[in-house]
Amino acid sequence: MVQSYLRHGPTEAFGIVCSSSSNSTYDGKLAYVPALEDVLVWDVKKGQMLAMWHETGHRAEVTAILRSPQRDIFAVGYADGSVRLWSASSTSVIATFNGHKKAVTALAFDETGTRLASGSQDTDLILWDVVGESGLYRLRGHRDQITAIRFLRPAAESAPSTSTGAAPGFLLTASKDTFLKLWDLQTQHCIQTVVAHRSEVWTMDLSPEQELVFTGSGEGELKAWKIDHEALAQGLRETETGEVTRFIYPAATLPLASSHRVSQISFHPHQPYLAVQSHDKSVEVFRIRTEDEIKKKQARRRRRAKEKELEKKGKKKGEEADGDAHMDAEYDEKDVELADLFTPYLIVRASGKVRSFDFGDEETGGRGNTQLFVALANNALEVYGIPPPMKSKDAAPEPSRLYSVDLPGHRTDVRTLCLSSDDALLASASNGSLKIWNMKTTACIRTMDCGYAICSTFLPGDRQVAVGTKSGEILIYDIASSSLVDTIQAHTATVWSIHVRPDEQGLVSGSADKDVKFWEFERKPVNRENPRGPSLLTLVHVRTLKMTDDVLSVRYSPNGKLLAVALLDSTVKVFYQDTLKFFLSLYGHKLPVLSMDISGDSKLIVTCSADKNVKIWGLDFGDCHKSIFAHDESVMQVAFERTDTREGDTKASHYFWTVGKDKMVKYWDGDKFENIQKLEGHHGEVWALAVSHHGKFVVTGSHDKSIRVWEKLDEPLFLEEERERELEALYESGVADTLNRADAPIGSGAPGVDVAAATAGAETTAVTKQTTETLMAGERIMEALELADTEIETFREYEEARAKGGLAESVAPPPRNPVVQKVPSTALYDALLVLPFGKVVSLMRYLNVWAQKASVCALYGWCDILTVCAVSQEWNIVLTSRIIFFLLRTHHHQIVANRVMRTALIPLRRNLREGLRRQKDTIGYNLAALCFIQRQTDAKRTAEFYEEEEDLTEEKVREKIAEGKKRKRVSIKA
């Protein structure tokens, strides 16, 4: 009989406030921050998490977040190269774009939010059509990771193009290859490359007027560049000297308070502020002066220069020389210097290393102060208020911290976990803090300061927690009062392990000072005046066992008879608990044993080591039952699964859990020596493990600061099926990688790539990337086509038989096979690439019918596979055209050489033209109606202005409407 197990699945992930894998965005009230593979929405004022954007089964980390001009939509880039569009209101994915081979590092929306540009570590730049949910084209030219992207408005908007891909506009990109590139989106080519810095360009931003570009480098340089919009409007031209027109000119270099790497530059969207992060813990804010302030400053300079000139000539203040008028004219004609425009205002110093920052939107932020949101690398968020400029020069402006969110997570790695006896509370400790969590709500209910915690355990009664620290202390905390009630200097070196005795009358501690110390519990009253009131436990040292090497782990057997001690010399010594007489020595690990556990029946002991192996030993004779290569890195913790006595489970479980530095959590059968399940989810080394006392779940803590719960499900698991599923996933990913391998990107450094050939590739290519999902979608399309061909052939035979009189009229027609499985629009092109040419020929015949009449949609249910059937049986001629044109481009050579295709292509051209003509008429009618509505709206607004201010002329009203809230432009000297 095949043995089955119960599957475990991830149910909760908590302890994360903000991970350092991506930037964050802030709108003045809500912060949208990365949380490893999820995005969290925080109300920073209340310190409350409002939503978690999680896609089931997706494990790649978030690497970039950007809000669209359409405020409900967010673009989120991931480490696997995918970009997902999320709806903030429904917390669901709208579309998924797959095109990059490595992590997405930069995102940018255009002004309308209809186009999205993404840059990646694979050096490619991809433009996506948000409305059509498809990739437009891939731009290649950078030789290292793209770090920043910005859309640039053309100065003179040309007539809107019929193709989204050829829409006018320009794109600025910065990269670690030290280049700043300007791309023309109409011609899809790079029109200027600027060597911006001597080292990597880490960040870039455009001024709101799009006249200046600021770039920051790894050497701490902040440079400003001027954009020549007039030259951009004229396009690429040759000057009289034969040089190509330049559009970007160096303007100036701004001095910074710090010489560290410039990590981020950001202009405030509405207020005259520029923020630069160039130090780990601070953000420098520059104020952009107005035109009047600059004129006043120039006047003061002129006055000072005039006074100095008079002093040199020995004249008094009232006397003027003949050349003074010339000096005034010279100062009047002088252009504004960049240093005059951007002046250092204040420095915001955060409490930790700054990962990213963002300005709060004034419309939602309010309060007079400009808000600066800071996401820290130590799992915390802070919001600072930047005061408005003061008239008095005496008081220097100081930022104030308005809000902070740091309690729901640790600042450093989660090093140890322990569960209360009823599994209701979880204690987690790190370097600096001990936190108590409610396991039902996963809410942090207590936070206490502690030293560098290494191990921990709940004391009997679940009212107190004992924590062993790196300094050799055992700290005892009372949960109810959130206080440290006792500090015991137990050892002179790190306390690596503590374990409560099975009779709950004491505990044992093992330390790097080579001592194993035994402690008895002693109760003392909380209030000495009331000895019958509640009492607290404290420790009394009773005896010490001296060892020959550092003690890394100590463990009592559940029957209370034996004590196992793991030493730094890679051995495990087993003693009798009562007499401390030596019993067994377990020798076999090549590196020290980091953790161990004894089964509930005290028959097996499992040890895990830094040599990546797990060994299962018998406690009767000390023989090694099995040595398993368990993890790819050091195995940090091991623990046997507990049996649930409430459900009548009397037999002790020999299943056990291991966690390691390879970020994996694994479930094992200790009798059959089989790996039952591999659980992926953590994004850093897994340090801590705690198993449920009732066998229902397991909790793990990691270097990524997250705490994850893996719960036992009712779903059965069979080892053979699990192995087959792993092999299938491995094969499909291998096939996808092979298909993607042919298009190696410039500068990717992929093994076996001919660098010269890759560099000589086209600057613009199609956006394709095969994944397991697109491969499956292609197979579904082929299945639908086969069903459709079979069904049509069956109907043809049925009609012929009826025409010849071989069938009675009462005989029913053959049944139809509806296949209604839709392919996502974003994966359609990649799925069509999977089709062999024979299936393409078959599909082209159906495309001809689909282009001819919409009634066919009701006849064949299988056409839903290509999502060409819209709601209410209306025909989606646009999507049909996309499929036809894509197939024609892809299989052009085969189609031209195939005579059979001629009979299908001629009627297809006629039917498609007719369908597109009807579509064009409909769009033209709707466009005319919208223009009419716009004219009515403009006329109404003009009339309202006339009613409010009768003295305004129509021209002034139109100027006022066009002006809006735009700030005055100041001419900058290049």
Side-chain angles (χ1 to χ4, degrees):
M1 183 177 174
V2 179
Q3 183 176 355
S4 67
Y5 304 88
L6 287 179
R7 186 183 296 276
H8 286 75
T11 54
E12 296 288 347
F14 55 95
I16 287 286
V17 178
C18 171
S19 63
S20 59
S21 59
S22 165
N23 66 304
S24 305
T25 63
Y26 180 61
D27 64 3
K29 181 183 179 185
L30 303 180
Y32 303 86
V33 302
L36 302 176
E37 71 270 18
D38 303 326
V39 175
L40 300 183
V41 183
W42 289 96
D43 185 330
V44 291
K45 188 176 182 181
K46 297 178 182 177
Q48 179 182 356
M49 189 178 79
L50 302 181
M52 174 189 283
W53 299 353
H54 175 77
E55 187 172 13
T56 307
H58 189 246
R59 293 292 173 203
E61 270 189 295
V62 174
T63 54
I65 302 175
L66 181 67
R67 191 170 196 167
S68 168
Q70 302 170 13
R71 306 296 288 173
D72 183 54
I73 297 175
F74 285 78
V76 180
Y78 294 87
D80 61 355
S82 63
V83 179
R84 282 167 171 76
L85 295 180
W86 287 86
S87 168
S89 56
S90 63
T91 66
S92 61
V93 177
I94 302 170
T96 303
F97 299 131
N98 276 301
H100 292 291
K101 299 173 183 65
K102 293 185 181 179
V104 176
T105 53
L107 294 169
F109 278 103
D110 66 358
E111 282 190 313
T112 58
T114 56
R115 288 181 297 174
L116 171 68
S118 63
S120 165
Q121 287 179 354
D122 64 9
T123 74
D124 287 356
L125 176 69
I126 298 180
L127 211 70
W128 306 93
D129 181 1
V130 175
V131 179
E133 296 183 1
S134 63
L136 297 174
Y137 45 84
R138 185 193 305 268
L139 298 172
R140 307 170 71 193
H142 281 292
R143 297 183 176 274
D144 207 337
Q145 171 185 324
I146 294 174
T147 53
I149 306 172
R150 292 292 182 272
F151 274 91
L152 189 63
R153 289 189 305 267
E157 292 281 353
S158 58
S161 174
T162 54
S163 168
T164 315
F170 300 94
L171 206 60
L172 269 171
T173 57
S175 168
K176 282 187 179 179
D177 60 8
T178 72
F179 295 150
L180 182 67
K181 282 181 176 285
L182 179 64
W183 305 82
D184 187 345
L185 299 183
Q186 206 153 15
T187 60
Q188 300 171 19
H189 284 288
C190 176
I191 56 176
Q192 187 178 351
T193 299
V194 180
V195 182
H197 296 270
R198 289 174 296 177
S199 62
E200 301 98 334
V201 182
W202 280 94
T203 181
M204 173 190 68
D205 200 17
L206 271 170
S207 63
E209 295 84 10
Q210 296 203 346
E211 290 185 344
L212 292 173
V213 183
F214 280 82
T215 56
S217 77
E219 294 181 342
E221 272 189 320
L222 176 63
K223 283 188 178 181
W225 309 80
K226 194 173 186 308
I227 300 173
D228 191 342
H229 283 274
E230 293 181 4
L232 275 176
Q234 294 173 0
L236 276 174
R237 295 170 180 270
E238 279 193 11
T239 59
E240 295 176 356
T241 57
E243 296 178 355
V244 180
T245 313
R246 290 195 302 162
F247 309 105
I248 301 173
Y249 298 92
T253 300
L254 285 182
L256 292 175
S258 167
S259 59
H260 293 74
R261 184 184 83 193
V262 181
S263 305
Q264 187 180 347
I265 301 169
S266 184
F267 279 89
H268 195 289
H270 309 299
Q271 299 296 320
Y273 291 115
L274 167 70
V276 180
Q277 181 205 342
S278 62
H279 189 267
D280 285 349
K281 292 188 176 183
S282 62
V283 178
E284 193 170 351
V285 180
F286 291 83
R287 191 169 67 84
I288 308 172
R289 287 192 171 103
T290 62
E291 198 173 352
D292 293 339
E293 287 177 325
I294 293 171
K295 285 181 179 178
K296 287 179 182 176
K297 187 172 183 180
Q298 285 181 340
R300 284 198 300 272
R301 282 184 180 175
R302 187 166 59 244
R303 194 163 53 248
R304 285 197 206 102
K306 197 182 291 183
E307 289 172 0
K308 287 179 181 178
E309 192 69 26
L310 289 172
E311 286 175 7
K312 284 180 182 178
K313 294 180 179 180
K315 296 184 179 181
K316 294 181 180 178
K317 193 174 180 180
E319 301 176 8
E320 290 203 11
D322 298 335
D324 289 347
H326 175 68
M327 188 189 299
D328 290 349
E330 185 182 335
Y331 269 94
D332 287 337
E333 291 173 3
K334 192 175 181 180
D335 287 327
V336 177
E337 296 286 345
L338 199 72
D340 296 336
L341 191 63
F342 294 88
T343 178
Y345 186 53
L346 54 81
I347 296 176
V348 176
R349 291 180 173 85
S351 61
K353 183 179 178 181
V354 178
R355 171 57 181 86
S356 71
F357 67 88
D358 195 14
F359 282 110
D361 192 345
E362 297 303 306
E363 296 173 6
T364 55
R367 287 192 57 154
N369 284 0
T370 298
Q371 292 187 10
L372 183 74
F373 167 82
V374 178
L376 305 180
N378 64 1
N379 199 26
L381 309 174
E382 293 178 343
V383 177
Y384 289 86
I386 299 174
M390 304 290 290
K391 289 186 177 179
S392 63
K393 297 179 183 179
D394 301 333
E398 282 293 328
S400 58
R401 191 166 77 172
L402 304 178
Y403 318 113
S404 67
V405 181
D406 56 4
L407 288 180
H410 287 280
R411 305 283 76 74
T412 53
D413 304 7
V414 179
R415 289 304 301 257
T416 174
L417 296 169
C418 59
L419 282 161
S420 61
S421 58
D422 58 357
D423 293 338
L425 297 178
L426 172 74
S428 66
S430 66
N431 180 9
S433 64
L434 168 70
K435 291 182 180 286
I436 309 296
W437 307 83
N438 184 328
M439 286 303 294
K440 283 189 177 179
T441 62
T442 66
C444 181
I445 55 177
R446 296 286 187 275
T447 298
M448 294 161 272
D449 293 335
C450 75
Y452 198 133
I454 299 294
C455 53
S456 63
T457 182
F458 271 90
L459 299 183
D462 295 336
R463 292 173 53 87
Q464 292 163 266
V465 177
V467 177
T469 67
K470 196 172 184 178
S471 59
E473 297 173 331
I474 296 179
L475 309 175
I476 298 178
Y477 291 88
D478 179 51
I479 297 173
S481 62
S482 298
S483 60
L484 174 66
V485 294
D486 205 354
T487 302
I488 299 147
Q489 188 63 49
H491 296 271
T492 56
T494 303
V495 180
W496 285 112
S497 179
I498 55 177
H499 191 220
V500 176
R501 212 162 64 204
D503 61 3
E504 297 187 345
Q505 297 302 310
L507 62 79
V508 62
S509 63
S511 166
D513 63 3
K514 306 179 184 180
D515 285 351
V516 177
K517 290 192 177 181
F518 299 86
W519 310 81
E520 296 282 352
F521 293 134
E522 185 181 273
R523 294 191 176 272
K524 64 177 183 180
V526 176
N527 187 358
R528 293 181 180 177
E529 298 177 358
N530 182 16
R532 294 188 178 183
S535 60
L536 297 175
L537 291 179
T538 187
L539 300 181
V540 177
H541 179 232
V542 290
R543 56 180 172 171
T544 301
L545 176 63
K546 295 281 185 181
M547 303 303 296
T548 58
D549 217 330
D550 293 14
V551 179
L552 299 182
S553 181
V554 288
R555 209 78 187 167
Y556 281 112
S557 62
N559 60 12
K561 292 182 179 179
L562 301 173
L563 171 71
V565 180
L567 301 177
L568 191 64
D569 62 4
S570 308
T571 63
V572 176
K573 310 289 185 185
V574 183
F575 300 88
Y576 289 103
Q577 187 270 137
D578 49 358
T579 62
L580 297 185
K581 184 180 177 182
F582 176 75
F583 175 48
L584 292 171
S585 179
L586 308 180
Y587 176 81
H589 282 290
K590 296 180 180 67
L591 290 172
V593 173
L594 302 177
S595 176
M596 57 188 176
D597 198 17
I598 301 174
S599 62
D601 55 8
S602 300
K603 291 182 179 179
L604 294 180
I605 179 170
V606 60
T607 59
C608 67
S609 164
D611 63 9
K612 309 174 188 177
N613 287 297
V614 167
K615 293 183 185 289
I616 302 163
W617 315 77
L619 263 182
D620 43 6
F621 302 108
D623 56 324
C624 180
H625 290 185
K626 188 70 173 178
S627 179
I628 305 170
F629 184 79
H631 289 259
D632 294 332
E633 297 288 342
S634 300
V635 189
M636 301 307 298
Q637 291 277 336
V638 63
F640 274 101
E641 188 179 59
R642 307 285 188 263
T643 52
D644 194 351
T645 53
R646 299 173 304 176
E647 296 183 1
D649 294 338
T650 54
K651 186 181 177 182
S653 170
H654 284 181
Y655 303 154
F656 62 90
W657 292 89
T658 60
V659 296
K661 283 188 174 181
D662 60 355
K663 311 174 188 177
M664 297 293 290
V665 181
K666 294 189 178 182
Y667 188 34
W668 305 85
D669 186 337
D671 291 325
K672 294 192 173 185
F673 319 124
E674 291 274 6
N675 178 215
I676 302 171
Q677 202 176 353
K678 298 175 184 176
L679 298 171
E680 298 179 9
H682 281 292
H683 297 271
E685 299 95 336
V686 186
W687 297 112
L689 170 70
V691 293
S692 161
H693 290 86
H694 303 304
K696 295 298 183 187
F697 59 86
V698 63
V699 189
T700 54
S702 169
H703 171 75
D704 61 19
K705 305 180 184 66
S706 71
I707 301 170
R708 293 176 187 264
V709 181
W710 315 87
E711 197 166 340
K712 186 180 285 185
L713 310 173
D714 295 330
E715 181 185 348
L717 180 149
F718 298 95
L719 292 181
E720 291 77 9
E721 291 182 1
E722 195 71 10
R723 299 296 169 266
E724 284 179 11
R725 188 180 291 110
E726 289 175 8
L727 286 173
E728 281 179 12
L730 191 64
Y731 171 74
E732 287 173 355
S733 63
V735 171
D737 291 343
T738 306
L739 291 172
N740 294 326
R741 178 66 186 73
D743 185 21
I746 297 173
S748 66
V753 176
D754 184 358
V755 178
T759 309
E763 190 176 30
T764 307
T765 58
V767 182
T768 58
K769 184 187 178 185
Q770 292 295 343
T771 61
T772 52
E773 290 80 9
T774 58
L775 293 175
M776 293 297 294
E779 289 177 6
R780 293 204 302 270
I781 294 174
M782 284 188 276
E783 179 191 354
L785 290 171
E786 287 171 3
L787 280 173
D789 289 339
T790 307
E791 190 172 311
I792 287 177
E793 183 63 24
T794 308
F795 266 91
R796 189 182 60 78
E797 291 174 358
Y798 171 76
E799 293 294 340
E800 286 179 359
R802 283 194 61 182
K804 293 177 180 178
L807 289 176
E809 293 187 2
S810 58
V811 176
R816 295 190 178 94
N817 298 306
V819 181
V820 186
Q821 295 179 344
K822 295 195 173 185
V823 174
S825 177
T826 51
L828 180 60
Y829 288 163
D830 291 319
L832 291 172
L833 280 175
V834 180
L835 298 182
F837 186 66
K839 296 299 178 188
V840 172
V841 174
S842 177
L843 180 57
M844 293 291 274
R845 288 200 297 267
Y846 297 125
L847 287 169
N848 181 29
V849 180
W850 299 344
Q852 186 176 4
K853 51 183 179 179
S855 60
V856 181
C857 185
L859 180 62
Y860 302 115
W862 41 261
C863 70
D864 282 334
I865 189 71
L866 292 179
T867 67
V868 293
C869 177
V871 184
S872 307
Q873 302 298 334
E874 291 183 7
W875 202 248
N876 192 338
I877 193 71
V878 176
L879 191 52
T880 309
S881 305
R882 282 175 56 192
I883 296 170
I884 292 171
F885 297 147
F886 179 78
L887 292 176
L888 289 174
R889 281 198 307 269
T890 307
H891 302 279
H892 174 260
H893 295 297
Q894 293 95 323
I895 290 171
V896 170
N898 194 335
R899 287 188 174 184
V900 180
M901 294 297 297
R902 180 177 174 82
T903 56
L905 287 175
I906 292 174
L908 177 62
R909 180 180 63 176
R910 183 176 62 251
N911 296 329
L912 191 62
R913 280 183 175 176
E914 181 63 26
L916 290 173
R917 187 189 60 78
R918 287 197 299 269
Q919 189 83 3
K920 183 182 176 184
D921 291 344
T922 306
I923 292 173
Y925 180 84
N926 292 337
L927 192 62
L930 289 172
C931 290
F932 174 73
I933 293 170
Q934 185 180 10
R935 285 196 298 272
Q936 278 193 323
T937 306
D938 290 345
K940 186 178 179 182
R941 288 178 65 188
T942 306
E944 287 174 358
F945 272 111
Y946 274 126
E947 289 174 4
E948 290 174 5
E949 302 181 31
E950 295 180 359
D951 57 336
L952 288 176
T953 62
E954 187 175 351
E955 287 75 13
K956 289 183 180 179
V957 171
R958 291 192 182 280
E959 286 176 9
K960 198 169 183 181
I961 292 172
E963 183 182 0
K965 295 181 179 180
K966 288 184 180 178
R967 295 175 57 221
K968 289 183 179 179
R969 292 188 178 183
V970 180
S971 59
I972 306 298
K973 183 179 179 181

